[in-house]
Amino acid sequence: MIIQRVVLNSRPGKNGVPVAENFRLEQSTIADTVQAGQVRVKTLYLSVDPYMRCRMNEDTGSDYLQPWQLSEVADGGGVGVVEESKHENLSKGDFVTSFTWPWQTVAILDGSLLQKLVPQLVNGRLSYFLGAAGITGLTALLGVREKGHVAVGANQTMVVSGAAGACGSLAGQIGRLEGCTRVVGIAGTDEKCSILVQEMGFDAAINYKKGNVAEQLRELCPGGVDVYFDNVGGDISDTVISQMNQNSHIILCGQISQYNKDVPYPPPLPPDIEKVQKERNITRERFLVLNYMDKHEASILQLCQWIQEGKLKVRETVIEGLANIGAAFQSMMSGGNIGKQIVSVSK
């Protein structure tokens, strides 16, 4: 069977900025027959995520991320529909997902590595299983619960950087749902800031490209910062940390501003900011959602309930066509999208 697939065409280099041309669309073939335990699936949606920047390097810098190989098919979160099955728990027409879905139009996969989906949990929006009801939502929810130490009635203020992104836009809302009394986002355009406040219930949002971020933080967080959901690292994070309270908490989710630099993860803080962190007893521990597998099922159900109740607002940027996945990746890494970046492969 002839299919289309996307392979890694070139590496941007550890300090380079990814471009669409780092990926290549090509024709390939898969077997016409399905073996015992396998299923043939048609790809519906693929997820494009910041962490994938690390997979473009020969050394990802992480023991749990495998590098993409040159001229080999890329992979990541995906959702598809079963076209043929020789796996006892999956049938034709079932919707399924995987963290290691190949970037191709049709694939033959090991059925035991797929998770069966219930579309009704997300009101039929299957792409949500790659975002708000998937690993992105889990990262936001478990990050807040496991590292944020949010408590109802504690009058806590949360700040979220990269707040208009897939994870940040959910994290701020979840911080509120879990008990924070004030939530402030940091984003890169007035449009993003407006969406955070008017649509997603943030109390305020700062456009870091306009004005003085430190002054705006002092104005919008007069009682200081108790919880910081950090998606970006770098200068913005240094500014937030300098205004954090005694015994406050950093949820170290991502460091997207550092992903095109050859630095360790998590990147070390500047000496003056590290001094603030230690003197104020601010926690800053690496967070990895895969370390909480035992909590995934219950957490997904909680996220789906909030979505159904309208308590969790979801934004997606959907790009049509497998051929455009490289451009989608480039756009995401440049901060051009709002919410989760999804590529729609086949209707």
Side-chain angles (χ1 to χ4, degrees):
M1 177 184 292
I2 298 174
I3 64 164
Q4 287 189 316
R5 67 177 193 170
V6 170
V7 303
L8 184 66
N9 187 49
S10 59
R11 301 188 191 277
K14 281 208 167 186
N15 299 305
V17 177
V19 294
E21 290 72 26
N22 291 135
F23 299 96
R24 181 176 78 248
L25 180 72
E26 63 180 28
Q27 276 197 348
S28 185
T29 59
I30 60 172
D32 292 324
T33 57
V34 176
Q35 303 299 316
Q38 294 182 329
V39 296
R40 187 177 76 245
V41 293
K42 180 171 70 172
T43 304
L44 299 178
Y45 299 102
L46 294 170
S47 176
V48 182
D49 301 286
Y51 82 87
M52 292 174 171
R53 173 63 184 86
C54 303
R55 301 191 67 190
M56 300 180 80
N57 299 331
E58 290 184 80
D59 178 8
T60 66
S62 169
D63 54 5
Y64 68 92
L65 286 179
Q66 295 300 312
W68 286 328
Q69 299 301 318
L70 289 172
S71 295
E72 295 292 332
V73 67
D75 69 300
V79 166
V81 60
V82 175
E83 292 188 322
E84 182 182 351
S85 175
K86 288 189 178 178
H87 188 277
E88 59 183 0
N89 295 328
L90 295 172
S91 304
K92 182 179 180 180
D94 285 345
F95 295 104
V96 290
T97 187
S98 168
F99 293 140
T100 56
W101 197 287
W103 286 7
Q104 56 193 57
T105 50
V106 180
I108 294 177
L109 303 175
D110 181 346
S112 65
L113 301 180
L114 299 173
Q115 180 185 355
K116 192 172 176 179
L117 299 174
V118 181
Q120 292 84 352
L121 290 176
V122 289
N123 302 322
R125 298 291 296 271
L126 287 168
S127 57
Y128 283 12
F129 285 115
L130 297 176
I135 198 72
T136 309
L138 285 172
T139 300
L141 176 57
L142 291 172
V144 170
R145 286 184 170 175
E146 300 297 328
K147 300 295 184 181
H149 302 275
V150 174
V152 176
N155 195 31
Q156 291 164 298
T157 293
M158 172 188 274
V159 170
V160 183
S161 59
C167 198
S169 60
L170 300 173
Q173 297 179 75
I174 290 169
R176 170 86 73 203
L177 290 166
E178 291 288 286
C180 286
T181 53
R182 186 163 183 78
V183 179
V184 175
I186 302 175
T189 69
D190 289 343
E191 179 193 9
K192 291 179 179 179
C193 290
S194 176
I195 288 171
L196 290 173
V197 174
Q198 296 180 16
E199 187 175 313
M200 297 184 172
F202 284 61
D203 292 283
I206 296 169
N207 181 350
Y208 69 87
K209 295 180 180 178
K210 286 187 174 180
N212 186 299
V213 174
E215 289 179 2
Q216 293 178 77
L217 269 177
R218 279 190 288 272
E219 178 183 342
L220 295 172
C221 307
V225 179
D226 302 294
V227 184
Y228 173 40
F229 200 100
D230 184 5
N231 284 303
V232 302
D235 293 341
I236 287 176
S237 290
D238 296 344
T239 301
V240 176
I241 294 169
S242 68
Q243 297 190 32
M244 294 187 73
N245 293 325
Q246 194 75 23
N247 302 318
S248 53
H249 304 283
I250 299 169
I251 303 166
L252 194 58
C253 178
Q255 302 282 277
I256 194 169
S257 72
Q258 308 298 302
Y259 285 172
N260 295 323
K261 300 177 183 178
D262 188 8
V263 295
Y265 186 88
L269 296 171
D272 57 330
I273 302 300
E274 187 176 15
K275 182 180 179 183
V276 168
Q277 181 204 350
K278 290 180 177 178
E279 288 179 349
R280 298 182 193 171
N281 192 35
I282 302 170
T283 64
R284 183 181 184 255
E285 302 166 342
R286 187 170 186 171
F287 170 72
L288 179 59
V289 70
L290 298 179
N291 289 340
Y292 301 91
M293 294 294 290
D294 60 319
K295 299 184 179 181
H296 281 200
E297 185 175 353
S299 299
I300 287 289
L301 291 175
Q302 174 66 86
L303 291 163
C304 289
Q305 180 181 335
W306 281 336
I307 291 169
Q308 289 177 335
E309 293 172 349
K311 294 179 178 178
L312 196 60
K313 308 294 185 182
V314 182
R315 269 274 186 156
E316 291 180 322
T317 299
V318 180
I319 306 297
E320 298 288 341
L322 184 63
N324 295 316
I325 200 166
F329 190 86
Q330 179 179 339
S331 174
M332 176 200 61
M333 290 303 298
S334 66
N337 62 303
I338 297 175
K340 181 71 179 181
Q341 186 91 341
I342 298 288
V343 172
S344 175
V345 177
S346 177
K347 294 297 185 184

mmCIF file of all heavy atoms in Angstrom, residues 172-217:
data_model
loop_
_atom_site.group_PDB
_atom_site.id
_atom_site.type_symbol
_atom_site.label_atom_id
_atom_site.label_comp_id
_atom_site.label_asym_id
_atom_site.label_seq_id
_atom_site.Cartn_x
_atom_site.Cartn_y
_atom_site.Cartn_z
ATOM 1 N N GLY A 172 -3.342 27.846 33.729
ATOM 2 C CA GLY A 172 -3.933 28.973 34.440
ATOM 3 C C GLY A 172 -5.364 28.702 34.855
ATOM 4 O O GLY A 172 -5.772 29.015 35.986
ATOM 5 N N GLN A 173 -6.132 28.095 33.958
ATOM 6 C CA GLN A 173 -7.519 27.761 34.285
ATOM 7 C C GLN A 173 -7.583 26.711 35.388
ATOM 8 O O GLN A 173 -8.422 26.787 36.291
ATOM 9 C CB GLN A 173 -8.238 27.232 33.041
ATOM 10 C CG GLN A 173 -8.354 28.237 31.906
ATOM 11 C CD GLN A 173 -9.043 27.634 30.705
ATOM 12 O OE1 GLN A 173 -10.272 27.443 30.701
ATOM 13 N NE2 GLN A 173 -8.280 27.312 29.670
ATOM 14 N N ILE A 174 -6.695 25.733 35.329
ATOM 15 C CA ILE A 174 -6.679 24.672 36.342
ATOM 16 C C ILE A 174 -6.240 25.239 37.689
ATOM 17 O O ILE A 174 -6.764 24.848 38.732
ATOM 18 C CB ILE A 174 -5.762 23.521 35.886
ATOM 19 C CG1 ILE A 174 -6.424 22.782 34.710
ATOM 20 C CG2 ILE A 174 -5.474 22.553 37.027
ATOM 21 C CD1 ILE A 174 -5.523 21.798 34.001
ATOM 22 N N GLY A 175 -5.286 26.179 37.676
ATOM 23 C CA GLY A 175 -4.888 26.824 38.918
ATOM 24 C C GLY A 175 -6.078 27.465 39.612
ATOM 25 O O GLY A 175 -6.256 27.359 40.827
ATOM 26 N N ARG A 176 -6.922 28.114 38.829
ATOM 27 C CA ARG A 176 -8.141 28.719 39.372
ATOM 28 C C ARG A 176 -9.082 27.641 39.906
ATOM 29 O O ARG A 176 -9.611 27.757 41.011
ATOM 30 C CB ARG A 176 -8.839 29.522 38.277
ATOM 31 C CG ARG A 176 -10.235 30.000 38.632
ATOM 32 C CD ARG A 176 -10.221 31.297 39.370
ATOM 33 N NE ARG A 176 -9.887 32.370 38.450
ATOM 34 C CZ ARG A 176 -9.366 33.543 38.824
ATOM 35 N NH1 ARG A 176 -9.094 33.751 40.087
ATOM 36 N NH2 ARG A 176 -9.101 34.473 37.936
ATOM 37 N N LEU A 177 -9.311 26.595 39.113
ATOM 38 C CA LEU A 177 -10.216 25.526 39.530
ATOM 39 C C LEU A 177 -9.733 24.816 40.797
ATOM 40 O O LEU A 177 -10.540 24.342 41.597
ATOM 41 C CB LEU A 177 -10.380 24.507 38.394
ATOM 42 C CG LEU A 177 -11.167 24.990 37.169
ATOM 43 C CD1 LEU A 177 -10.961 24.045 35.996
ATOM 44 C CD2 LEU A 177 -12.654 25.103 37.505
ATOM 45 N N GLU A 178 -8.424 24.763 40.969
ATOM 46 C CA GLU A 178 -7.848 24.082 42.133
ATOM 47 C C GLU A 178 -7.786 24.973 43.369
ATOM 48 O O GLU A 178 -7.533 24.480 44.465
ATOM 49 C CB GLU A 178 -6.453 23.561 41.794
ATOM 50 C CG GLU A 178 -6.443 22.416 40.792
ATOM 51 C CD GLU A 178 -6.964 21.110 41.378
ATOM 52 O OE1 GLU A 178 -6.258 20.475 42.159
ATOM 53 O OE2 GLU A 178 -8.117 20.747 41.049
ATOM 54 N N GLY A 179 -7.995 26.312 43.201
ATOM 55 C CA GLY A 179 -8.077 27.140 44.399
ATOM 56 C C GLY A 179 -7.339 28.456 44.389
ATOM 57 O O GLY A 179 -7.451 29.232 45.342
ATOM 58 N N CYS A 180 -6.550 28.755 43.337
ATOM 59 C CA CYS A 180 -5.860 30.047 43.298
ATOM 60 C C CYS A 180 -6.887 31.183 43.193
ATOM 61 O O CYS A 180 -7.868 31.075 42.459
ATOM 62 C CB CYS A 180 -4.901 30.112 42.114
ATOM 63 S SG CYS A 180 -3.398 29.140 42.323
ATOM 64 N N THR A 181 -6.645 32.254 43.898
ATOM 65 C CA THR A 181 -7.584 33.370 43.883
ATOM 66 C C THR A 181 -7.234 34.419 42.820
ATOM 67 O O THR A 181 -8.061 35.260 42.477
ATOM 68 C CB THR A 181 -7.629 34.067 45.254
ATOM 69 O OG1 THR A 181 -6.303 34.423 45.635
ATOM 70 C CG2 THR A 181 -8.230 33.140 46.305
ATOM 71 N N ARG A 182 -5.995 34.374 42.322
ATOM 72 C CA ARG A 182 -5.590 35.313 41.282
ATOM 73 C C ARG A 182 -4.655 34.599 40.313
ATOM 74 O O ARG A 182 -3.710 33.911 40.717
ATOM 75 C CB ARG A 182 -4.896 36.539 41.889
ATOM 76 C CG ARG A 182 -4.577 37.633 40.864
ATOM 77 C CD ARG A 182 -4.272 38.963 41.526
ATOM 78 N NE ARG A 182 -4.032 40.018 40.533
ATOM 79 C CZ ARG A 182 -4.983 40.647 39.856
ATOM 80 N NH1 ARG A 182 -6.247 40.336 40.061
ATOM 81 N NH2 ARG A 182 -4.695 41.586 38.984
ATOM 82 N N VAL A 183 -4.917 34.766 39.011
ATOM 83 C CA VAL A 183 -4.105 34.121 37.976
ATOM 84 C C VAL A 183 -3.720 35.169 36.935
ATOM 85 O O VAL A 183 -4.582 35.833 36.362
ATOM 86 C CB VAL A 183 -4.869 32.960 37.290
ATOM 87 C CG1 VAL A 183 -4.003 32.339 36.207
ATOM 88 C CG2 VAL A 183 -5.293 31.915 38.307
ATOM 89 N N VAL A 184 -2.427 35.299 36.697
ATOM 90 C CA VAL A 184 -1.897 36.276 35.744
ATOM 91 C C VAL A 184 -1.058 35.536 34.700
ATOM 92 O O VAL A 184 -0.192 34.725 35.046
ATOM 93 C CB VAL A 184 -1.034 37.341 36.453
ATOM 94 C CG1 VAL A 184 -0.392 38.287 35.433
ATOM 95 C CG2 VAL A 184 -1.880 38.122 37.448
ATOM 96 N N GLY A 185 -1.321 35.805 33.431
ATOM 97 C CA GLY A 185 -0.587 35.161 32.356
ATOM 98 C C GLY A 185 0.404 36.104 31.712
ATOM 99 O O GLY A 185 0.247 37.327 31.763
ATOM 100 N N ILE A 186 1.426 35.517 31.106
ATOM 101 C CA ILE A 186 2.403 36.277 30.326
ATOM 102 C C ILE A 186 2.428 35.691 28.922
ATOM 103 O O ILE A 186 2.595 34.478 28.755
ATOM 104 C CB ILE A 186 3.815 36.205 30.946
ATOM 105 C CG1 ILE A 186 3.794 36.734 32.390
ATOM 106 C CG2 ILE A 186 4.806 36.997 30.104
ATOM 107 C CD1 ILE A 186 5.124 36.581 33.123
ATOM 108 N N ALA A 187 2.211 36.542 27.919
ATOM 109 C CA ALA A 187 2.158 36.079 26.529
ATOM 110 C C ALA A 187 2.813 37.135 25.635
ATOM 111 O O ALA A 187 3.290 38.164 26.121
ATOM 112 C CB ALA A 187 0.712 35.820 26.105
ATOM 113 N N GLY A 188 2.822 36.876 24.311
ATOM 114 C CA GLY A 188 3.615 37.704 23.418
ATOM 115 C C GLY A 188 2.879 38.652 22.506
ATOM 116 O O GLY A 188 3.518 39.376 21.737
ATOM 117 N N THR A 189 1.527 38.663 22.557
ATOM 118 C CA THR A 189 0.778 39.612 21.731
ATOM 119 C C THR A 189 -0.433 40.111 22.509
ATOM 120 O O THR A 189 -0.915 39.448 23.439
ATOM 121 C CB THR A 189 0.278 38.980 20.417
ATOM 122 O OG1 THR A 189 -0.740 38.009 20.710
ATOM 123 C CG2 THR A 189 1.410 38.325 19.642
ATOM 124 N N ASP A 190 -0.954 41.252 22.089
ATOM 125 C CA ASP A 190 -2.170 41.782 22.716
ATOM 126 C C ASP A 190 -3.347 40.844 22.481
ATOM 127 O O ASP A 190 -4.207 40.688 23.349
ATOM 128 C CB ASP A 190 -2.492 43.168 22.151
ATOM 129 C CG ASP A 190 -1.517 44.235 22.626
ATOM 130 O OD1 ASP A 190 -0.806 43.996 23.627
ATOM 131 O OD2 ASP A 190 -1.459 45.308 21.986
ATOM 132 N N GLU A 191 -3.395 40.210 21.296
ATOM 133 C CA GLU A 191 -4.488 39.288 21.009
ATOM 134 C C GLU A 191 -4.486 38.114 21.985
ATOM 135 O O GLU A 191 -5.535 37.741 22.533
ATOM 136 C CB GLU A 191 -4.366 38.746 19.578
ATOM 137 C CG GLU A 191 -5.467 37.747 19.222
ATOM 138 C CD GLU A 191 -5.199 36.976 17.939
ATOM 139 O OE1 GLU A 191 -4.088 37.079 17.387
ATOM 140 O OE2 GLU A 191 -6.109 36.251 17.489
ATOM 141 N N LYS A 192 -3.313 37.557 22.215
ATOM 142 C CA LYS A 192 -3.214 36.436 23.156
ATOM 143 C C LYS A 192 -3.626 36.866 24.560
ATOM 144 O O LYS A 192 -4.351 36.151 25.251
ATOM 145 C CB LYS A 192 -1.786 35.879 23.159
ATOM 146 C CG LYS A 192 -1.390 35.160 21.879
ATOM 147 C CD LYS A 192 0.046 34.671 21.948
ATOM 148 C CE LYS A 192 0.444 33.926 20.682
ATOM 149 N NZ LYS A 192 1.840 33.465 20.723
ATOM 150 N N CYS A 193 -3.165 38.024 24.977
ATOM 151 C CA CYS A 193 -3.514 38.520 26.320
ATOM 152 C C CYS A 193 -5.023 38.716 26.454
ATOM 153 O O CYS A 193 -5.612 38.407 27.492
ATOM 154 C CB CYS A 193 -2.780 39.824 26.603
ATOM 155 S SG CYS A 193 -0.988 39.623 26.825
ATOM 156 N N SER A 194 -5.638 39.230 25.398
ATOM 157 C CA SER A 194 -7.083 39.446 25.413
ATOM 158 C C SER A 194 -7.830 38.121 25.538
ATOM 159 O O SER A 194 -8.795 38.009 26.308
ATOM 160 C CB SER A 194 -7.503 40.181 24.143
ATOM 161 O OG SER A 194 -8.910 40.334 24.084
ATOM 162 N N ILE A 195 -7.399 37.107 24.802
ATOM 163 C CA ILE A 195 -8.054 35.792 24.875
ATOM 164 C C ILE A 195 -7.916 35.192 26.266
ATOM 165 O O ILE A 195 -8.866 34.617 26.807
ATOM 166 C CB ILE A 195 -7.444 34.857 23.807
ATOM 167 C CG1 ILE A 195 -7.908 35.295 22.416
ATOM 168 C CG2 ILE A 195 -7.835 33.405 24.061
ATOM 169 C CD1 ILE A 195 -7.196 34.584 21.281
ATOM 170 N N LEU A 196 -6.747 35.339 26.871
ATOM 171 C CA LEU A 196 -6.535 34.793 28.213
ATOM 172 C C LEU A 196 -7.517 35.389 29.224
ATOM 173 O O LEU A 196 -8.070 34.676 30.068
ATOM 174 C CB LEU A 196 -5.096 35.056 28.667
ATOM 175 C CG LEU A 196 -4.002 34.268 27.936
ATOM 176 C CD1 LEU A 196 -2.628 34.756 28.364
ATOM 177 C CD2 LEU A 196 -4.142 32.779 28.203
ATOM 178 N N VAL A 197 -7.729 36.688 29.137
ATOM 179 C CA VAL A 197 -8.592 37.366 30.108
ATOM 180 C C VAL A 197 -10.076 37.179 29.770
ATOM 181 O O VAL A 197 -10.880 36.805 30.629
ATOM 182 C CB VAL A 197 -8.249 38.873 30.179
ATOM 183 C CG1 VAL A 197 -9.234 39.604 31.080
ATOM 184 C CG2 VAL A 197 -6.816 39.049 30.686
ATOM 185 N N GLN A 198 -10.443 37.408 28.519
ATOM 186 C CA GLN A 198 -11.857 37.423 28.153
ATOM 187 C C GLN A 198 -12.445 36.031 27.955
ATOM 188 O O GLN A 198 -13.634 35.809 28.197
ATOM 189 C CB GLN A 198 -12.048 38.249 26.881
ATOM 190 C CG GLN A 198 -11.688 39.720 27.052
ATOM 191 C CD GLN A 198 -11.878 40.521 25.774
ATOM 192 O OE1 GLN A 198 -12.533 40.078 24.837
ATOM 193 N NE2 GLN A 198 -11.301 41.713 25.734
ATOM 194 N N GLU A 199 -11.619 35.071 27.520
ATOM 195 C CA GLU A 199 -12.135 33.751 27.194
ATOM 196 C C GLU A 199 -11.774 32.693 28.237
ATOM 197 O O GLU A 199 -12.576 31.794 28.516
ATOM 198 C CB GLU A 199 -11.586 33.327 25.821
ATOM 199 C CG GLU A 199 -12.159 32.049 25.273
ATOM 200 C CD GLU A 199 -11.655 31.759 23.862
ATOM 201 O OE1 GLU A 199 -11.671 32.681 23.020
ATOM 202 O OE2 GLU A 199 -11.223 30.619 23.619
ATOM 203 N N MET A 200 -10.586 32.813 28.817
ATOM 204 C CA MET A 200 -10.092 31.747 29.679
ATOM 205 C C MET A 200 -10.070 32.105 31.150
ATOM 206 O O MET A 200 -9.613 31.305 31.969
ATOM 207 C CB MET A 200 -8.704 31.305 29.207
ATOM 208 C CG MET A 200 -8.759 30.716 27.798
ATOM 209 S SD MET A 200 -7.192 30.088 27.224
ATOM 210 C CE MET A 200 -7.723 29.291 25.679
ATOM 211 N N GLY A 201 -10.549 33.273 31.494
ATOM 212 C CA GLY A 201 -10.760 33.605 32.895
ATOM 213 C C GLY A 201 -9.550 34.039 33.683
ATOM 214 O O GLY A 201 -9.597 34.104 34.919
ATOM 215 N N PHE A 202 -8.432 34.356 33.008
ATOM 216 C CA PHE A 202 -7.289 34.921 33.729
ATOM 217 C C PHE A 202 -7.691 36.296 34.260
ATOM 218 O O PHE A 202 -8.467 37.019 33.630
ATOM 219 C CB PHE A 202 -6.087 35.068 32.802
ATOM 220 C CG PHE A 202 -5.352 33.786 32.492
ATOM 221 C CD1 PHE A 202 -5.992 32.724 31.856
ATOM 222 C CD2 PHE A 202 -4.003 33.646 32.815
ATOM 223 C CE1 PHE A 202 -5.311 31.556 31.553
ATOM 224 C CE2 PHE A 202 -3.312 32.482 32.513
ATOM 225 C CZ PHE A 202 -3.962 31.425 31.882
ATOM 226 N N ASP A 203 -7.156 36.677 35.401
ATOM 227 C CA ASP A 203 -7.459 38.002 35.956
ATOM 228 C C ASP A 203 -6.779 39.107 35.153
ATOM 229 O O ASP A 203 -7.321 40.212 35.021
ATOM 230 C CB ASP A 203 -6.999 38.082 37.416
ATOM 231 C CG ASP A 203 -7.835 37.188 38.313
ATOM 232 O OD1 ASP A 203 -8.971 37.577 38.636
ATOM 233 O OD2 ASP A 203 -7.359 36.097 38.674
ATOM 234 N N ALA A 204 -5.597 38.800 34.646
ATOM 235 C CA ALA A 204 -4.853 39.794 33.872
ATOM 236 C C ALA A 204 -3.811 39.058 33.039
ATOM 237 O O ALA A 204 -3.499 37.896 33.297
ATOM 238 C CB ALA A 204 -4.176 40.807 34.797
ATOM 239 N N ALA A 205 -3.283 39.750 32.036
ATOM 240 C CA ALA A 205 -2.232 39.174 31.201
ATOM 241 C C ALA A 205 -1.268 40.269 30.792
ATOM 242 O O ALA A 205 -1.665 41.412 30.534
ATOM 243 C CB ALA A 205 -2.827 38.477 29.982
ATOM 244 N N ILE A 206 0.003 39.916 30.719
ATOM 245 C CA ILE A 206 1.078 40.849 30.379
ATOM 246 C C ILE A 206 1.644 40.485 29.015
ATOM 247 O O ILE A 206 2.009 39.330 28.771
ATOM 248 C CB ILE A 206 2.202 40.782 31.436
ATOM 249 C CG1 ILE A 206 1.678 41.237 32.802
ATOM 250 C CG2 ILE A 206 3.407 41.612 31.009
ATOM 251 C CD1 ILE A 206 2.645 40.949 33.944
ATOM 252 N N ASN A 207 1.714 41.480 28.116
ATOM 253 C CA ASN A 207 2.416 41.308 26.853
ATOM 254 C C ASN A 207 3.882 41.634 27.115
ATOM 255 O O ASN A 207 4.245 42.788 27.280
ATOM 256 C CB ASN A 207 1.824 42.236 25.793
ATOM 257 C CG ASN A 207 2.506 42.094 24.436
ATOM 258 O OD1 ASN A 207 3.537 41.450 24.306
ATOM 259 N ND2 ASN A 207 1.931 42.717 23.418
ATOM 260 N N TYR A 208 4.718 40.593 27.163
ATOM 261 C CA TYR A 208 6.113 40.798 27.554
ATOM 262 C C TYR A 208 6.901 41.604 26.515
ATOM 263 O O TYR A 208 8.016 42.065 26.810
ATOM 264 C CB TYR A 208 6.807 39.469 27.834
ATOM 265 C CG TYR A 208 7.054 38.589 26.627
ATOM 266 C CD1 TYR A 208 8.208 38.740 25.853
ATOM 267 C CD2 TYR A 208 6.159 37.590 26.268
ATOM 268 C CE1 TYR A 208 8.439 37.934 24.753
ATOM 269 C CE2 TYR A 208 6.390 36.781 25.167
ATOM 270 C CZ TYR A 208 7.526 36.956 24.412
ATOM 271 O OH TYR A 208 7.754 36.156 23.322
ATOM 272 N N LYS A 209 6.321 41.786 25.322
ATOM 273 C CA LYS A 209 7.001 42.574 24.294
ATOM 274 C C LYS A 209 6.695 44.065 24.413
ATOM 275 O O LYS A 209 7.218 44.876 23.649
ATOM 276 C CB LYS A 209 6.606 42.069 22.901
ATOM 277 C CG LYS A 209 7.072 40.636 22.632
ATOM 278 C CD LYS A 209 6.669 40.172 21.255
ATOM 279 C CE LYS A 209 7.138 38.737 21.001
ATOM 280 N NZ LYS A 209 6.722 38.226 19.671
ATOM 281 N N LYS A 210 5.827 44.405 25.371
ATOM 282 C CA LYS A 210 5.454 45.802 25.578
ATOM 283 C C LYS A 210 5.704 46.194 27.027
ATOM 284 O O LYS A 210 5.278 45.491 27.946
ATOM 285 C CB LYS A 210 3.971 46.028 25.259
ATOM 286 C CG LYS A 210 3.624 46.037 23.783
ATOM 287 C CD LYS A 210 2.165 46.430 23.598
ATOM 288 C CE LYS A 210 1.799 46.600 22.140
ATOM 289 N NZ LYS A 210 0.376 46.993 21.972
ATOM 290 N N GLY A 211 6.347 47.308 27.241
ATOM 291 C CA GLY A 211 6.505 47.830 28.587
ATOM 292 C C GLY A 211 7.472 47.015 29.430
ATOM 293 O O GLY A 211 8.183 46.131 28.962
ATOM 294 N N ASN A 212 7.473 47.319 30.719
ATOM 295 C CA ASN A 212 8.378 46.705 31.677
ATOM 296 C C ASN A 212 7.654 45.573 32.402
ATOM 297 O O ASN A 212 6.700 45.812 33.142
ATOM 298 C CB ASN A 212 8.873 47.770 32.671
ATOM 299 C CG ASN A 212 9.923 47.240 33.614
ATOM 300 O OD1 ASN A 212 9.672 46.315 34.365
ATOM 301 N ND2 ASN A 212 11.106 47.841 33.568
ATOM 302 N N VAL A 213 8.095 44.341 32.183
ATOM 303 C CA VAL A 213 7.410 43.185 32.762
ATOM 304 C C VAL A 213 7.471 43.215 34.285
ATOM 305 O O VAL A 213 6.477 42.938 34.968
ATOM 306 C CB VAL A 213 8.006 41.864 32.220
ATOM 307 C CG1 VAL A 213 7.387 40.662 32.928
ATOM 308 C CG2 VAL A 213 7.786 41.753 30.721
ATOM 309 N N ALA A 214 8.609 43.572 34.842
ATOM 310 C CA ALA A 214 8.749 43.607 36.299
ATOM 311 C C ALA A 214 7.776 44.592 36.924
ATOM 312 O O ALA A 214 7.117 44.292 37.933
ATOM 313 C CB ALA A 214 10.187 43.962 36.674
ATOM 314 N N GLU A 215 7.661 45.771 36.329
ATOM 315 C CA GLU A 215 6.732 46.782 36.866
ATOM 316 C C GLU A 215 5.289 46.305 36.759
ATOM 317 O O GLU A 215 4.495 46.486 37.693
ATOM 318 C CB GLU A 215 6.909 48.102 36.105
ATOM 319 C CG GLU A 215 8.209 48.824 36.412
ATOM 320 C CD GLU A 215 8.343 50.117 35.622
ATOM 321 O OE1 GLU A 215 7.390 50.459 34.869
ATOM 322 O OE2 GLU A 215 9.378 50.791 35.754
ATOM 323 N N GLN A 216 4.942 45.696 35.624
ATOM 324 C CA GLN A 216 3.576 45.207 35.449
ATOM 325 C C GLN A 216 3.265 44.077 36.425
ATOM 326 O O GLN A 216 2.151 43.994 36.951
ATOM 327 C CB GLN A 216 3.381 44.738 34.002
ATOM 328 C CG GLN A 216 3.435 45.863 32.979
ATOM 329 C CD GLN A 216 3.278 45.351 31.555
ATOM 330 O OE1 GLN A 216 2.164 45.035 31.118
ATOM 331 N NE2 GLN A 216 4.386 45.253 30.831
ATOM 332 N N LEU A 217 4.228 43.222 36.675
ATOM 333 C CA LEU A 217 4.021 42.144 37.654
ATOM 334 C C LEU A 217 3.767 42.701 39.050
ATOM 335 O O LEU A 217 2.884 42.227 39.768
ATOM 336 C CB LEU A 217 5.241 41.219 37.687
ATOM 337 C CG LEU A 217 5.254 40.008 36.764
ATOM 338 C CD1 LEU A 217 6.572 39.268 36.891
ATOM 339 C CD2 LEU A 217 4.085 39.069 37.056
#
